[in-house]
Amino acid sequence: MENIYIQGRVEQSNEQIKIFWPGTILTFKINGGPLKVQLSDDLGESRYSIIVDGKEIEDIQPTENKEWYVLYAPKDKKDHTVELHRKNDFSKGTSTLYAVVCDGDLDEIKPNKKHIEYYGNSISVGYANEDTTGNDDSYFTNNYWAYTSQTSRALNTEQTIIARSGIGLMVSWFDLIMPELYDRLNPNDKKSKWDFSKKIPDLVVINLMQNDKWLMQNPDNENFLKRIGRRQLEGEEIIEKYSQFLQGIRLKYPNTPIICTLGCMDISSKSSVFPEYVKSAIHYMRDDQIYYLEYPFLAKLAHPSVEMHTKMSQYLVEFIRKHQLI
């Protein structure tokens, strides 16, 4: 399939593209139309925003059957940019793109010169950010309005988002932690490894350990017992584990600046000890290209809203520009 500009890790062949990760974007530049794609999803729960000329117009949820979807049917013969943006994470399914048909021209797109890679949990995904009821319903997850994607748009950069809701650095709400996930191409296959030399980012942003913090308060959780046992995690161990993850990223990207962030949930509250743990891990690295940024404690009752994500993005964009990291 030609003239598709892809952002994010996908499994690609001449005949199909498999989409897993939140914030994966497929972009098409068309003149005329309609633009149609043939899709299926193994669980039928993956959701996508359709973005036309920078405006979110609707969304689609591919079924388990191979079906055609009209992304955009323009009423003119002008150039239009159409994006298919994955809203939720890979736990909701793997989508497969089989074909693209456009009755007009499908033109080549020049990629952005800069690229940010994000590693995170539900906050980086944008979990429930459009849920206005306060129920934290995963259906209302929209990565297009997560701080990650908002930051990429504000800085006009390409993005890769390696994130899953509920994941931790040392323990998760399921049997998988970020050090076991971060180097995968297909997140559901431990043998599927990403070639880090294929795409060197200009900046890495990490936002992890919110789930570690919560699970430390739930020591009877089966995943905590399996990973940690009947004991509490000590500060030195947490610092060491975070440092080890940083070392792994640094080995993949020797010259890329890294921003270690925390927040905007209670991991950045006044009573949290985790900011000092992360600062200590950074200090241990002795690397002047590793930075620390703490978002304010905004999400006090549920996951952050779109408005909170916008504030997070503003903090991050300001920090990146201040330190001239992009």
Side-chain angles (χ1 to χ4, degrees), residues 217-252:
Q217 299 166 2
N218 292 272
D220 291 329
N221 177 275
E222 62 177 335
N223 294 292
F224 188 91
L225 290 172
K226 182 177 179 179
R227 290 278 180 182
I228 311 302
R230 291 200 174 278
R231 63 184 182 86
Q232 272 298 337
L233 287 165
E234 300 296 333
E236 288 301 317
E237 183 178 0
I238 296 170
I239 293 167
E240 181 181 2
K241 293 295 185 182
Y242 197 97
S243 297
Q244 287 174 353
F245 184 68
L246 284 178
Q247 289 167 20
I249 297 293
R250 178 53 79 221
L251 284 173
K252 304 298 184 184

Side-chain angles (χ1 to χ4, degrees), residues 179-313:
E180 299 167 347
L181 176 69
Y182 84 106
D183 62 350
R184 295 185 186 182
L185 168 56
N186 179 343
N188 301 299
D189 182 1
K190 64 182 180 180
K191 296 181 180 179
S192 176
K193 296 302 181 181
W194 174 247
D195 180 1
F196 283 87
S197 66
K198 193 173 183 179
K199 190 78 177 180
I200 306 297
D202 298 279
L203 177 65
V204 169
V205 177
I206 300 170
N207 190 354
L208 289 166
M209 293 209 300
Q210 179 64 63
N211 292 298
D212 301 86
K213 180 181 184 301
W214 279 336
L215 282 160
M216 285 173 64
Q217 299 166 2
N218 292 272
D220 291 329
N221 177 275
E222 62 177 335
N223 294 292
F224 188 91
L225 290 172
K226 182 177 179 179
R227 290 278 180 182
I228 311 302
R230 291 200 174 278
R231 63 184 182 86
Q232 272 298 337
L233 287 165
E234 300 296 333
E236 288 301 317
E237 183 178 0
I238 296 170
I239 293 167
E240 181 181 2
K241 293 295 185 182
Y242 197 97
S243 297
Q244 287 174 353
F245 184 68
L246 284 178
Q247 289 167 20
I249 297 293
R250 178 53 79 221
L251 284 173
K252 304 298 184 184
Y253 304 131
N255 302 308
T256 300
I258 301 170
I259 305 176
C260 302
T261 71
L262 288 178
C264 68
M265 301 185 82
D266 68 356
I267 200 166
S268 60
S269 65
K270 290 183 179 179
S271 62
S272 175
V273 294
F274 279 81
E276 293 306 315
Y277 294 157
V278 173
K279 291 176 186 177
S280 295
I282 294 172
H283 178 74
Y284 174 82
M285 292 291 293
R286 305 286 191 220
D287 186 330
D288 61 6
Q289 284 288 84
I290 301 180
Y291 302 82
Y292 176 73
L293 172 63
E294 186 175 326
Y295 304 113
F297 180 22
L298 299 171
K300 299 182 180 181
L301 299 176
H303 278 79
S305 63
V306 169
E307 181 181 4
M308 294 174 187
H309 276 277
T310 299
K311 291 181 180 178
M312 291 176 68
S313 177

Side-chain angles (χ1 to χ4, degrees), residues 257 319-326:
F319 187 91
I320 291 170
R321 286 175 172 161
K322 177 182 177 182
H323 294 278
Q324 300 180 327
L325 299 177
I326 288 290

Side-chain angles (χ1 to χ4, degrees), residues 105-131:
D105 296 326
L106 190 60
D107 298 327
E108 184 179 1
I109 301 172
K110 293 182 179 180
N112 290 326
K113 294 181 179 180
K114 299 292 185 178
H115 175 212
I116 303 177
E117 191 160 276
Y118 304 87
Y119 293 90
N121 49 40
S122 57
I123 304 172
S124 297
V125 174
Y127 182 93
N129 57 349
E130 291 189 323
D131 185 355

